[in-house]
Amino acid sequence: MKKFLSLMAICAIIFSANCSRIEQNNDPIIGVWFQSGTEIIGGTSKSTLRKEWIFNDVYLGRYHEINGNDITLQTDFKWSKEDNIYTIEYRGLEDVPTIKFKMVKTEEGSILEKIDGNYLAIKE
């Protein structure tokens, strides 16, 4: 009887492990998106500021601000999608508001556009 119960317990464990599969997220936003610009300092010197969003398939991501070769800001974020509107909520940054945007297809590729129509980022 103990062998039978042990066999049933092993079967139950295997069955439950096979049933708990994580749904695969194939959202087109997954990947690296960036915004890049040049800032003129003091009239002569230039500095390149790059903002980078890395979206992953479990609705999390990482945000970087890179000034020249130095990472000046780095934080995690949570993202969600509802009716083709994406939302980013930054973690650990109290003064950075939640961003709402949509993905727009252009001749150059896909871009992220804020709800107010301003450009946010392009896919790398």
Side-chain angles (χ1 to χ4, degrees), residues 66-81:
I66 305 164
N67 193 347
N69 292 328
D70 300 324
I71 296 176
T72 57
L73 179 65
Q74 177 175 306
T75 190
D76 294 327
F77 64 85
K78 178 174 78 170
W79 67 274
S80 60
K81 180 181 178 185

Side-chain angles (χ1 to χ4, degrees), residues 6-17:
S6 297
L7 179 63
M8 291 303 289
I10 291 171
C11 289
I13 291 170
I14 292 171
F15 179 72
S16 66

Side-chain angles (χ1 to χ4, degrees), residues 56-106:
N56 70 27
D57 62 345
V58 291
Y59 301 98
L60 297 172
R62 174 140 309 204
Y63 173 73
H64 300 107
E65 283 187 10
I66 305 164
N67 193 347
N69 292 328
D70 300 324
I71 296 176
T72 57
L73 179 65
Q74 177 175 306
T75 190
D76 294 327
F77 64 85
K78 178 174 78 170
W79 67 274
S80 60
K81 180 181 178 185
E82 186 175 323
D83 297 329
N84 294 326
I85 302 294
Y86 293 91
T87 303
I88 292 179
E89 297 176 37
Y90 294 96
R91 297 178 175 181
L93 298 178
E94 296 174 9
D95 57 337
V96 178
T98 299
I99 299 175
K100 292 190 178 280
F101 58 93
K102 59 187 173 181
M103 187 180 308
V104 178
K105 302 264 186 203
T106 66

Side-chain angles (χ1 to χ4, degrees), residues 6-71:
S6 297
L7 179 63
M8 291 303 289
I10 291 171
C11 289
I13 291 170
I14 292 171
F15 179 72
S16 66
N18 287 335
C19 292
S20 60
R21 299 205 186 274
I22 297 172
E23 183 179 326
Q24 188 171 2
N25 185 349
N26 292 325
D27 196 292
I29 200 164
I30 295 171
V32 179
W33 296 78
F34 74 96
Q35 177 189 90
S36 187
T38 303
E39 181 180 60
I40 298 174
I41 302 169
T44 57
S45 65
K46 294 181 181 180
S47 175
T48 302
L49 178 64
R50 177 181 168 100
K51 297 179 180 182
E52 186 175 271
W53 294 263
I54 304 168
F55 292 84
N56 70 27
D57 62 345
V58 291
Y59 301 98
L60 297 172
R62 174 140 309 204
Y63 173 73
H64 300 107
E65 283 187 10
I66 305 164
N67 193 347
N69 292 328
D70 300 324
I71 296 176

